[in-house]
Amino acid sequence: MKCALIVLFALVAVATVSAKQGYGPGEQDWGWVDVRTGAHMFYWLYYTTADVEHYTQRPLAIWLQGGPGASSTGYGNFEELGPLDLYGEYRNWTWVKDMNVLFIDNPVGSGFSYVDNILQLPTTNNGIAKDLVSFMKGFYKLHPEFEDVPLHIFCESYGGKMSPEFALELYYAVQRKELKSNLKSVALGDPWTSPIDSVLAWAPLLLNMGIVDDDGYENIMVAANKTAELVAEEKWTQATMQWSATQTVLLRESKGVDFYNIEKPTRGDAYTRMLLRKNNYLEQMYRTLVRFDIDENRDKMLDDLMRGPVTEALGIPSHVKWGSQSGSTFTRLMGDFMKPVIHVVNELLDNTDLQVSVYSGHLDLICATAGTVNWIEKMRWSYRDEYLKAPRLGVSVDRILEGYEKSAGNFSMIWVNRAGHMVPADNPAGMSYILKKLTNYG
């Protein structure tokens, strides 16, 4: 018995060697994994602050931001679910209270991740997924104590394209015994899984909410249908450019509605006209998908935080500048941006035992809930008929209705009330239900 305790103590000691004091409360670890020659993927791990004997008693949640090119260690961490908010205040609903959280700047080129040569940035979703599997192999070598810990992948927006393929590739790699991982689930938050379904849902949502009139609806739909035609013809880069043109029409017709939460205050028509006068589709796409916030002051706050105090606290070398390759990351993926991955979600449901969930905030525009419902109905999987016939149940937290849920087989769809694109920040109570459903914590 004494010998066993000595061995256990030694294992715990090894497992906590890499824990460090970083930026903010609690023990952390961070660094890079070379996923390919010249491609360096950055991660920031927060060990749970839950009252447990050892952090491995709680699951590991991966968070992948969207974009492509947005930073998980920046936006997801400080704007949504990390222990501190953008102002340095403690976040009451941080996930770190209940589980270990791993923020990954993905694809390489996002946040603190970088490539030695811009041509090494990925150009396909499958390339992104394989880079992430390579990352996990390196991560588990650095942190073997997590190999048996339940792993749950969470994501947002363009993450809803990257995460299904990442989960599938990781599952197959585990089956081939290329690595050991206790992967349990993947949850797609307000996902860009089928881009054209999202785009076609914009005008109906705005019309039904009274944000545009019939003329505005028609103008947006004309542009959206042109995008759909290019998607049908598989002219992917042209479809991406037409997507941006549709976005321009929408901003004009709505007088500047916020893409991420239609109830959020914006600077309105005058500011929108100023943006549209720039007539720079690439800049507009980048600002919408990677910068997230129409408030340039808030963008600057995040830039200053990541390039100042965070860079200093984590000892980031001078040749790595947060976000410096994000624009190039987005540009390199323009030919893949509008491609759907419904078939990948189908394969996850039929060929794996993973739990797959989709959650969507009612107030989201860019990945509007109605579009998400439409692509889910397009899926062809073993429990499709059962899902379509399944009852839609209310989700209550502390006797407050936070949303609705529908499930069949290993799939669930969750509608979240009072939330836009960023569900963890907009409705933490609703998000806590999703966390508890998938991980048993939250």
Side-chain angles (χ1 to χ4, degrees), residues 118-135:
I118 293 300
L119 296 179
Q120 293 168 314
L121 293 171
T123 58
T124 68
N125 205 55
N126 187 253
I128 292 171
K130 288 182 176 177
D131 278 353
L132 282 166
V133 172
S134 180
F135 168 84

Side-chain angles (χ1 to χ4, degrees), residues 57-59 98-99 432 434-442:
Q57 293 173 274
R58 291 296 176 93
D98 296 302
M99 62 197 71
S432 72
I434 298 167
L435 289 175
K436 189 168 185 179
K437 176 182 175 65
L438 293 179
T439 72
N440 295 320
Y441 297 97

Side-chain angles (χ1 to χ4, degrees), residues 244-312:
S244 181
T246 306
Q247 183 187 57
T248 299
V249 175
L250 187 152
L251 285 172
R252 184 183 67 235
E253 296 295 340
S254 69
K255 309 299 186 286
V257 70
D258 190 280
F259 267 93
Y260 296 102
N261 188 321
I262 57 176
E263 289 193 346
K264 184 177 179 180
T266 70
R267 292 163 68 179
D269 199 22
Y271 184 71
T272 301
R273 288 198 302 269
M274 181 273 289
L275 286 178
L276 297 180
R277 278 199 300 270
K278 292 182 177 181
N279 199 29
N280 186 332
Y281 285 174
L282 282 177
E283 173 65 17
Q284 186 174 304
M285 285 189 285
Y286 174 71
R287 283 203 61 80
T288 302
L289 295 167
V290 178
R291 305 303 297 172
F292 286 114
D293 208 311
I294 202 167
D295 184 347
E296 294 178 357
N297 292 328
R298 198 170 183 86
D299 278 347
K300 186 177 186 303
M301 284 181 64
L302 184 58
D303 281 347
D304 290 346
L305 173 65
M306 297 303 293
R307 295 179 179 183
V310 170
T311 289
E312 182 178 351

Side-chain angles (χ1 to χ4, degrees), residues 215-236:
D215 288 341
Y217 169 86
E218 290 297 335
N219 291 335
I220 296 168
M221 283 307 303
V222 166
N225 286 329
K226 287 181 182 177
T227 310
E229 290 171 8
L230 292 167
V231 168
E233 295 168 3
E234 298 187 356
K235 296 178 179 178
W236 299 114

Side-chain angles (χ1 to χ4, degrees), residues 44-84:
W44 193 349
L45 170 68
Y46 287 84
Y47 297 91
T48 184
T49 57
D51 184 17
V52 291
E53 291 183 4
H54 196 256
Y55 59 85
T56 54
Q57 293 173 274
R58 291 296 176 93
L60 175 63
I62 287 175
W63 179 261
L64 297 179
Q65 209 66 43
S71 169
S72 298
T73 65
Y75 197 93
N77 187 2
F78 292 101
E79 291 277 32
E80 298 196 64
L81 56 114
L84 294 181

